[in-house]
Amino acid sequence: MGLAAIGKSVAVALVATLIAVPFTVTADDTSGEAQRMEALESRLMALEDELKATRSALESSEEMRKSGVAPADVEAGSGLDSFLSGLQIGGYVEASYIYNWNNPEQGTGTDGVGGQPGVSPQPHFQFNRNHNTFELDAVKFEIGKPASEPGTAGFQVDLLFGANNHILCGEGLYEDTAEDATEFTVTENADDGVCIQEAYVSYNWDGYEINFGKFETLLGYEVIDAPYNNHVSHGVLFTWSIPLVHNGVLVKGNLTEQIGFAAGVTNGFNNITDHGDNKGVLGQLSFEDGPLRIAASVFV
């Protein structure tokens, strides 16, 4: 006898046994057995309903999977969970030792601010101004949430500690008078305090990102953060030819898949507040194709 035949025989035997059970009880137990059978029947009907609901949910999920539509979450998370899920956190620690073979003395040379006499022995350096000195240049903390999708909002905050914070946000960058220049020193309390390198809010309007606040300039190949450059020290053009940061509004996006643009209005460059009534205009046009990227930037 085959397995199928054996299975059918067992099933028939079980059914026959279940049918025969009610007729083998005594008359006294008939009432109680009937109640138990009704309870069992109700339970079986409830289980059948649950199986139907489960089968229906599985079929619906399979149809959504085939159509490419993601099923909705069973239970939506809180607003805080949604906010934290998109956060991007980063940063770096940078230290250096700079030695100048001309062996200049501290307190000589120019400080790089308008070419006035000052204390820095290395006038051609934006950062790393001290000679024969170990320095904790930067401890950088970055937190943000990109506005990557249309209709979403985001932000970016970059905090800078260390010697570079004093140069970037202290007298070395924002004061431009001879009197202040002669008082500037990078050796005294150089790693105290914190510099807000960037702080802006953003909104994605139909694929175009709008940033409002303090942001780094579009000009130049080098950037403030030395680990993102090919070398630790910055070039002469970085020090003398371009701004570092702007305060204002910046709009950027793509004209085509390969051509991007950016345009903004700012208070000027390297200044938190506007020193006059005129505003600066910042712009960029870029082309990108695989590893190739070409950009032309302007500030007037």
Side-chain angles (χ1 to χ4, degrees), residues 137-192:
D137 299 311
V139 177
K140 180 80 174 294
F141 176 73
E142 306 167 346
I143 183 171
K145 183 176 183 180
S148 55
E149 299 296 331
T152 61
F155 73 97
Q156 182 67 38
V157 176
D158 294 356
L159 303 179
L160 182 66
F161 303 84
N164 289 356
N165 107 75
H166 184 76
I167 298 171
L168 184 62
C169 288
E171 299 164 294
L173 185 61
Y174 292 112
E175 299 294 340
D176 55 6
T177 64
E179 180 181 355
D180 290 326
T182 57
E183 294 176 356
F184 174 68
T185 174
V186 296
T187 58
E188 182 181 357
N189 299 325
D191 57 355
D192 289 348

Side-chain angles (χ1 to χ4, degrees), residues 31-296:
S31 177
E33 189 66 24
Q35 292 179 356
R36 287 193 291 272
M37 289 298 294
E38 289 178 0
L40 179 60
E41 184 177 356
S42 298
R43 179 57 180 163
L44 289 174
M45 292 178 64
L47 290 175
E48 185 178 358
D49 292 339
E50 292 180 7
L51 288 174
K52 288 181 179 179
T54 302
R55 185 182 296 111
S56 176
L58 290 174
E59 291 175 353
S60 176
S61 177
E62 181 66 16
E63 291 177 359
M64 295 179 69
R65 186 189 66 80
K66 290 180 178 179
S67 63
V69 178
D73 294 336
V74 176
E75 183 178 355
S78 65
L80 180 60
D81 293 337
S82 176
F83 173 78
L84 294 176
S85 65
L87 284 182
Q88 296 182 357
I89 299 176
Y92 64 86
V93 177
E94 175 200 345
S96 66
Y97 171 78
I98 300 294
Y99 186 87
N100 189 329
W101 294 105
N102 293 321
N103 196 25
E105 296 181 3
Q106 294 292 109
T108 63
T110 58
D111 64 358
V113 182
Q116 300 295 331
V119 299
S120 175
Q122 303 191 120
H124 300 300
F125 280 66
Q126 180 87 45
F127 306 114
N128 307 112
R129 295 182 173 185
N130 290 317
H131 158 63
N132 193 17
T133 301
F134 294 99
E135 283 190 326
L136 177 62
D137 299 311
V139 177
K140 180 80 174 294
F141 176 73
E142 306 167 346
I143 183 171
K145 183 176 183 180
S148 55
E149 299 296 331
T152 61
F155 73 97
Q156 182 67 38
V157 176
D158 294 356
L159 303 179
L160 182 66
F161 303 84
N164 289 356
N165 107 75
H166 184 76
I167 298 171
L168 184 62
C169 288
E171 299 164 294
L173 185 61
Y174 292 112
E175 299 294 340
D176 55 6
T177 64
E179 180 181 355
D180 290 326
T182 57
E183 294 176 356
F184 174 68
T185 174
V186 296
T187 58
E188 182 181 357
N189 299 325
D191 57 355
D192 289 348
V194 58
C195 173
I196 302 177
Q197 185 169 322
E198 285 191 303
Y200 60 83
V201 293
S202 57
Y203 179 77
N204 191 313
W205 178 70
D206 198 23
Y208 300 103
E209 184 178 329
I210 304 172
N211 297 330
F212 181 80
K214 181 181 180 181
F215 46 85
E216 294 184 23
T217 188
L218 302 176
L219 279 66
Y221 176 75
E222 294 179 292
V223 294
I224 297 174
D225 301 321
Y228 304 148
N229 294 326
N230 293 326
H231 42 74
V232 174
S233 61
H234 293 80
V236 174
L237 292 179
F238 181 86
T239 301
W240 296 100
S241 300
I242 66 170
L244 299 185
V245 294
H246 305 276
N247 269 37
V249 58
L250 180 71
V251 181
K252 57 184 180 180
N254 291 324
L255 300 176
T256 67
E257 291 184 358
Q258 297 175 319
I259 299 177
F261 81 96
V265 179
T266 72
N267 289 334
F269 59 86
N270 297 343
N271 55 318
I272 301 300
T273 58
D274 198 348
H275 297 323
D277 293 332
N278 295 328
K279 298 297 180 185
V281 177
L282 182 68
Q284 184 181 84
L285 192 64
S286 62
F287 174 83
E288 187 169 359
D289 186 10
L292 175 64
R293 187 178 190 276
I294 302 173

